[in-house]
């Protein structure tokens, strides 16, 4: 009787111990999981060609910093979704290859959503409308509209939708030549010095250049093509794409998007 009582007691004690340690274990683990999610904020590498005001460009006061509409927007989305961004400067036509090879995680570069690009990357929901425009040197009296570009020379940013449009015009036998340059500032220079006759570039960017540098170029057609920009991720990266789309919807709903619009437009 005594013996079986002490066995019972030991038994109860053991159950108690297991229960207590089990308890400690599970709370310990829950804490650990919480700590991990609190500490590890993922960092995504964002690729851009940062000579494209007002979307991405060097800060006048600190040329190491990139500012612009795209920058504020992705920062707001990152804050909403709990991730950090690290910027990587690349030429525009190097962005998609860099995404595919895993060198960058997101393209944030005023990139137009096109069917052809959808074949190599996944795009977020569109975040702004920005079509193509045709501009010439301010003193050009020759080209007054798209109707006057027969036999002329186009200058465009390499790898851009402006370049695609110019290629089409060349194939159709309308224009004589297409010059591809890396940056919008080079493009403007080449139509200023007469190397090219006209430029096809994103309307908000051409407009922004004209505001900053009055009297250099003029727009003769502001509706060459209607387009929308999206953020791009590697094909199949739905986790990141969902974060971008949810974050975009959230910052659009809470007024942050409108504030950013006001800052840059
Ligand atoms: N929207 C055009 C495109 O997608 C040009 C974008 C150029 N962007 C830049 N950051 N340079 O082809």
């Amino acid at each position: 009787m005594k013996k079986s009582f002490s066995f019972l007691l030991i038994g109860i004690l053991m159950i108690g111990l297991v229960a207590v340690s089990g308890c400690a274990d599970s709370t310990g683990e829950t804490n650990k999981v919480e700590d991990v999610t609190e500490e590890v904020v993922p960092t995504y590498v964002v690729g851009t060609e940062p000579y494209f005001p007002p979307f991405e460009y060097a800060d006048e006061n600190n040329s190491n910093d990139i500012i612009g509409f795209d920058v504020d927007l992705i920062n707001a989305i990152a804050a909403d979704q709990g991730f950090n961004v690290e910027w990587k400067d690349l030429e525009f036509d190097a962005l998609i290859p860099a995404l595919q090879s895993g060198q960058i995680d997101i393209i944030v570069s005023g990139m137009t959503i096109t069917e052809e690009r959808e074949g190599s990357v996944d795009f977020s929901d569109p975040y702004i409308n920005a079509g193509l425009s045709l501009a010439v040197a301010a003193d050009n009296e020759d080209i007054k509209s798209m109707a006057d570009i027969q036999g002329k020379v186009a200058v465009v940013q390499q790898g851009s939708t402006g370049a695609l449009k110019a290629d089409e015009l060349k194939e159709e036998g309308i224009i004589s030549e297409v010059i591809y340059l890396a940056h919008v500032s080079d493009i403007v220079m080449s139509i200023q010095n007469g190397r090219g006759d006209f430029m096809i570039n994103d309307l908000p960017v051409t407009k922004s250049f004209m505001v900053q540098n009055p009297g250099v170029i003029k727009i003769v057609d502001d509706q060459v093509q209607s387009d929308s920009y999206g953020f791009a991720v590697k094909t199949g990266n739905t986790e990141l794409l969902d974060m971008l789309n949810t974050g975009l919807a959230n910052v659009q709903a809470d007024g942050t998007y409108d504030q950013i619009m006001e800052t840059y437009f």
Side-chain angles (χ1 to χ4, degrees):
M1 184 73 187
K2 225 181 179 184
K3 222 178 191 178
S4 59
F5 176 75
S6 45
F7 272 129
L8 189 70
L9 201 65
I10 288 168
I12 289 171
L13 274 175
M14 275 173 71
I15 290 167
L17 265 177
V18 168
V20 167
S21 66
C23 214
D25 253 350
S26 65
T27 38
E29 247 163 45
T30 327
N31 281 339
K32 250 186 234 156
V33 169
E34 268 170 17
D35 284 351
V36 167
T37 42
E38 260 167 30
E39 278 167 20
V40 181
V41 174
T43 296
Y44 294 115
V45 181
V46 172
T48 197
E49 187 269 355
Y51 304 93
F52 206 61
F55 294 101
E56 41 269 330
Y57 55 105
D59 186 352
E60 266 178 16
N61 306 314
N62 179 3
S63 57
N64 288 329
D65 281 346
I66 305 172
I67 57 170
F69 178 88
D70 282 351
V71 179
D72 285 8
L73 185 57
I74 199 70
N75 282 340
I77 293 170
D80 182 77
Q81 292 295 300
F83 63 85
N84 291 324
V85 297
E86 196 183 293
W87 293 88
K88 189 162 181 64
D89 300 7
L90 290 163
E91 297 299 8
F92 189 71
D93 59 354
L95 290 169
I96 291 183
L99 191 66
Q100 289 173 319
S101 70
Q103 208 191 337
I104 59 174
D105 301 301
I106 317 172
I107 298 173
V108 179
S109 198
M111 186 171 272
T112 302
I113 303 172
T114 68
E115 241 183 82
E116 197 208 349
R117 286 175 182 157
E118 291 271 19
S120 7
V121 301
D122 283 348
F123 279 107
S124 69
D125 293 332
Y127 64 83
I128 196 167
N129 288 98
L132 292 176
S133 64
L134 194 142
V136 297
D139 59 1
N140 184 321
E141 294 302 325
D142 221 21
I143 302 174
K144 296 193 168 64
S145 76
M146 279 290 267
D148 304 322
I149 56 172
Q150 185 76 42
K152 302 289 185 197
V153 177
V155 196
V156 293
Q157 182 168 41
Q158 60 201 25
S160 70
T161 46
L164 284 178
K165 182 72 197 171
D167 290 343
E168 263 173 47
L169 294 167
K170 170 100 195 293
E171 265 162 45
E172 288 163 8
I174 298 173
I175 61 174
S176 66
E177 197 191 331
V178 185
I179 300 173
Y180 309 90
L181 299 174
H183 308 293
V184 172
S185 52
D186 305 332
I187 295 171
V188 172
M189 211 184 288
S190 79
I191 65 163
Q192 240 184 317
N193 67 24
R195 213 179 137 208
D197 298 307
F198 68 92
M199 59 189 270
I200 302 180
N201 185 49
D202 300 33
L203 177 63
V205 177
T206 299
K207 269 190 181 163
S208 157
F209 177 89
M210 288 169 63
V211 171
Q212 295 303 313
N213 310 271
V216 178
I217 54 170
K218 62 183 178 193
I219 293 173
V220 295
D221 190 328
D222 61 3
Q223 282 174 12
V224 174
Q225 191 171 290
S226 163
D227 288 319
S228 295
Y229 292 169
F231 307 118
V233 300
K234 195 173 184 171
T235 306
N237 192 352
T238 46
E239 194 189 333
L240 183 52
L241 198 61
D242 287 348
M243 286 168 92
L244 294 174
N245 284 333
T246 309
L248 175 61
N250 289 346
V251 304
Q252 277 173 335
D254 73 6
T256 310
Y257 180 93
D258 291 336
Q259 273 171 23
I260 300 172
M261 261 312 229
E262 255 171 55
T263 310
Y264 295 97
F265 294 99

